[in-house]
Amino acid sequence: MSELDKTIMQNALREFDANANALLDLRKNFTKELEEGLADPSKSSLKMLPSYLNVPTGDETGVYLALDFGGTNVRVLKVKIWKHGNYKILKKIEYPLKLEGKYDFTSKNATGEQLFEFIAKLIQLTLEGNTEEILLGHTFSFPSEQLDLNNAKLISWTKEFQTQGVEGKNVTELLTNALLKRNLTHVKPVAIINDTVATLLAGAYTHANTLIGSIYATGHNTCYLEPDYNGEPMILNLESGGFSKVEQNTYDKLLDKTSEKPGEQFLEKMVAGRYVGELYSLVLKQALKSEENFSFDSLDLCNIAQNTDVKKIIKEKAQYEIQDKDEENLFIKLANNILTRSALYIAATYLGIYYHIRKLPTIAIDGSMYVKNTFLQTIIDENLKKAGGNIRSFKVYDASALGAAIAAAKAEGK
Ligand code: GLC
């Protein structure tokens, strides 16, 4: 067993320490990029994608199908909504997008057609033989150029997805073709939205003044209600995971180099669940002089940061026996610094939006990193308070499904 190089650990701790200056710069740069992006999106690392939606009135009602695609699992749900936050999930089917040894719809060996045929099969399962017409809202959690509320072209995959034949394509067409192949013509896709937009819709359905929707999960991204988009209010998907005016440390650069899309998604690669474990793995690989790559994930990191099973996880994932309390503290501190930086940077982007809209917003947040980790929620909340006013954030449950149903209701003119 190799020794732990404490100097490497100490240096890494410093590299991941988010200091006040870095946070202030991030916040200011975020507002600047946002405003530059509003004037000309090609000049900004924020994509400013229009959703063709305003926030809901709260009066939307009906029964809809919701397709939630974009993370580790794909879900199809039948959802009933009946005004002001009241909803019921009538049926839910959930499958992983990859199953070790069986299939992997996210790899470059899979095609868009195969992926959407798989999705159509799940839709059929959800319907349980029902052939009445039903409208479908699709939460598609990738950067997409929206042609209208129901048509969106995937700009490029993020979160390390590699499925062939989807980039540049109209995703609704792929879905419609797959539905047709299964004779599911009574299923009518009517709206396609980003998961951040779904979160904002779901949040605003219950909490007035919700102006920002955000996901803190496998990926990270935020949208907000722009009060004046060519004279109209419009929810804009920032694709803030692509924000690039943020300084990368040694490990951020290393991670980016070996990622699927080097040079893209700078902020996401620093903060999102898909990557935080990888950053930890990269430091430990150096500190333990290992030839092998480690595979810590966000769950390991959250456990280590909270002093749960530290020895066991390090032994399991890095084959290293922690020698004493000092060493154990280094492992815990590193996990903490990586996660704290993640939450602080995300909070700084929310403040960046606030300094543009200049209205105290309520922020709706969903995603496993946020929902499952109260210590990350606390870090975000405390930093929002620093802005002086009463900026509140709250958890939204079932945001993707509820948002998709609300978008479908809006498409129907309800
Ligand atoms: C990635 C996607 C973005 C999505 C986010 C959260 O950043 O590009 O569209 O909102 O992940 O799922």
Side-chain angles (χ1 to χ4, degrees), residues 70 140-143 156 158-159 194-196 215 217-222 237 239 241 265 268:
F140 181 71
S141 313
F142 296 95
S156 60
T158 48
K159 298 178 275 198
N194 186 258
D195 53 353
T196 56
I215 298 286
T218 309
H220 165 63
N221 182 19
T222 301
N237 167 14
E239 284 297 322
Q265 299 298 100
E268 185 158 70

Side-chain angles (χ1 to χ4, degrees), residues 69-71 97-98 103-119 140 142 154-169 171 174 260-261:
F69 172 78
L97 282 166
K98 52 176 153 182
Y103 62 81
D104 181 355
F105 291 111
T106 68
S107 84
K108 47 165 127 3
N109 297 323
T111 67
E113 261 144 54
Q114 290 164 343
L115 168 66
F116 280 94
E117 274 167 28
F118 176 66
I119 290 175
F140 181 71
F142 296 95
L154 172 63
I155 299 171
S156 60
W157 285 125
T158 48
K159 298 178 275 198
E160 312 298 301
F161 273 59
Q162 298 168 62
T163 323
Q164 297 292 313
V166 191
E167 287 181 327
K169 294 268 169 63
V171 176
L174 290 173
E260 203 43 54
K261 299 230 163 89

Side-chain angles (χ1 to χ4, degrees), residues 251-297:
Y251 299 98
D252 298 320
K253 287 182 190 153
L254 211 59
L255 184 151
D256 180 52
K257 237 202 286 180
T258 52
S259 66
E260 203 43 54
K261 299 230 163 89
E264 291 179 23
Q265 299 298 100
F266 276 12
L267 180 65
E268 185 158 70
K269 287 173 186 164
M270 298 169 126
V271 302
R274 173 67 182 74
Y275 300 102
V276 282
E278 210 164 312
L279 289 169
Y280 195 74
S281 301
L282 287 171
V283 178
L284 262 52
K285 182 175 175 171
Q286 289 188 354
L288 292 169
K289 313 241 166 333
S290 164
E291 294 292 316
E292 312 242 322
N293 293 331
F294 302 141
S295 60
F296 290 90
D297 59 25

Side-chain angles (χ1 to χ4, degrees), residues 249-413:
N249 69 24
T250 319
Y251 299 98
D252 298 320
K253 287 182 190 153
L254 211 59
L255 184 151
D256 180 52
K257 237 202 286 180
T258 52
S259 66
E260 203 43 54
K261 299 230 163 89
E264 291 179 23
Q265 299 298 100
F266 276 12
L267 180 65
E268 185 158 70
K269 287 173 186 164
M270 298 169 126
V271 302
R274 173 67 182 74
Y275 300 102
V276 282
E278 210 164 312
L279 289 169
Y280 195 74
S281 301
L282 287 171
V283 178
L284 262 52
K285 182 175 175 171
Q286 289 188 354
L288 292 169
K289 313 241 166 333
S290 164
E291 294 292 316
E292 312 242 322
N293 293 331
F294 302 141
S295 60
F296 290 90
D297 59 25
S298 59
L299 199 65
D300 297 326
L301 225 56
C302 292
N303 280 327
I304 295 173
Q306 292 174 98
N307 204 351
T308 306
D309 292 337
V310 182
K311 287 193 167 135
K312 186 167 157 253
I313 300 170
I314 298 294
K315 174 92 191 104
E316 224 169 77
K317 293 277 168 92
Q319 297 79 51
Y320 181 73
E321 200 88 53
I322 294 182
Q323 300 296 301
D324 53 34
K325 207 73 209 145
D326 264 10
E327 279 196 11
E328 188 172 6
N329 282 338
L330 284 173
F331 285 105
I332 297 173
K333 191 118 202 346
L334 181 64
N336 257 304
N337 279 17
I338 292 177
L339 290 171
T340 304
R341 183 185 76 158
S342 155
L344 285 174
Y345 278 15
I346 287 176
T349 68
Y350 299 158
L351 292 177
I353 299 173
Y354 162 65
Y355 279 95
H356 163 67
I357 50 180
R358 297 267 171 194
K359 224 173 121 184
L360 290 172
T362 299
I363 307 172
I365 311 177
D366 192 14
S368 48
M369 289 288 283
Y370 184 77
V371 171
K372 291 187 187 155
N373 295 294
T374 38
F375 72 104
L376 297 175
Q377 295 165 19
T378 309
I379 296 173
I380 291 180
D381 280 344
E382 282 179 356
N383 274 276
L384 292 178
K385 276 192 209 130
K386 285 189 188 150
N390 186 21
I391 303 182
R392 291 192 322 113
S393 69
F394 70 102
K395 264 180 262 179
V396 191
Y397 296 96
D398 300 319
S400 287
L402 185 53
I406 297 168
K410 286 197 150 231
E412 206 187 5

